[in-house]
Amino acid sequence: MSSTPTTPPPDEPDEPDGELREAAESPPGPQPEASSEEDPAALAERLKAQVAELEDVGRRALADADNLRKRFEREADRERRRERARVAARWLPVLDNLERALQHAEADPGLILDGVRAVRDQAVEVLAELGYPRRDEVGVPFDPALHEAVSVMMDTDAIPGTVVRVLQPGYGDGEHQLRPALVSVAAKAGQ
């Protein structure tokens, strides 16, 4: 089979010629050509036709925008369902381990405590992997972005303004927070 070499198309000229230059310099959209010889009725008809054409273009643009909005909504809904399924799938091993712990609890009730702790640790790990680490530190300075103070305790051993007890752990950091930790805070002596 023989192949014939193809020649590339000639380069476009750098300078537009006559008609192209005029088209590039004129404003976009149909322009009425004012002619001293044109009949006013013919000019009016021509302008009406241009208005009708522009209205049609506008309607089509609105329809395209509406179709795009609907498509985006469908895709966003589909993506939300996918993400929910992905997160739910991460929790299935936790549920499986809870069921195993309950099955073994009947055989040896003492093992249930160890099993529940292991499942809790697994759930905490899943939350951390999803971007919501557990916050249950004691002895750290009180931070209103991470903690919610529910009580103040007189504790002479603790530095004032630090967390002395966590009543409910928090999960997450800053803007990515499921909930703040409910804590008791050390007060200064005499308060």
Side-chain angles (χ1 to χ4, degrees), residues 44-170:
E45 284 301 315
R46 191 166 49 80
L47 290 175
K48 284 181 186 178
Q50 286 178 344
V51 166
E53 181 182 335
L54 290 174
E55 286 175 344
D56 184 54
V57 167
R59 279 190 295 275
R60 289 180 189 194
L62 285 174
D64 287 345
D66 190 47
N67 289 338
L68 184 62
R69 179 188 57 78
K70 289 176 184 175
R71 187 178 80 208
F72 175 75
E73 286 175 358
R74 283 190 307 270
E75 289 176 6
D77 185 51
R78 193 175 316 130
E79 188 58 34
R80 277 190 295 271
R81 283 184 302 212
R82 260 190 243 134
E83 188 62 19
R84 277 194 307 266
R86 186 183 72 79
V87 171
R90 300 284 295 273
W91 286 101
L92 289 177
V94 175
L95 182 59
D96 293 341
N97 286 336
L98 276 174
E99 289 183 12
R100 282 187 202 101
L102 289 172
Q103 289 170 355
H104 293 327
E106 294 172 5
D108 185 359
L111 290 178
I112 187 79
L113 189 58
D114 292 336
V116 170
R117 280 191 185 116
V119 173
R120 190 239 5 236
D121 293 345
Q122 185 181 22
V124 167
E125 184 179 320
V126 168
L127 281 171
E129 289 171 2
L130 292 171
Y132 302 101
R134 182 179 175 112
R135 299 287 169 223
D136 60 355
E137 302 89 0
V138 175
V140 298
F142 174 79
D143 181 352
L146 299 174
H147 305 115
E148 184 176 329
V150 294
S151 67
V152 176
M153 298 178 70
M154 297 303 295
D155 189 340
T156 57
D157 295 337
I159 298 171
T162 60
V163 174
V164 291
R165 190 167 135 205
V166 177
L167 304 164
Q168 184 179 58

Side-chain angles (χ1 to χ4, degrees), residues 22-42:
E22 288 175 17
E25 293 172 357
S26 67
Q31 298 293 316
E33 294 178 19
S35 170
S36 59
E37 299 172 14
E38 188 170 10
D39 177 26

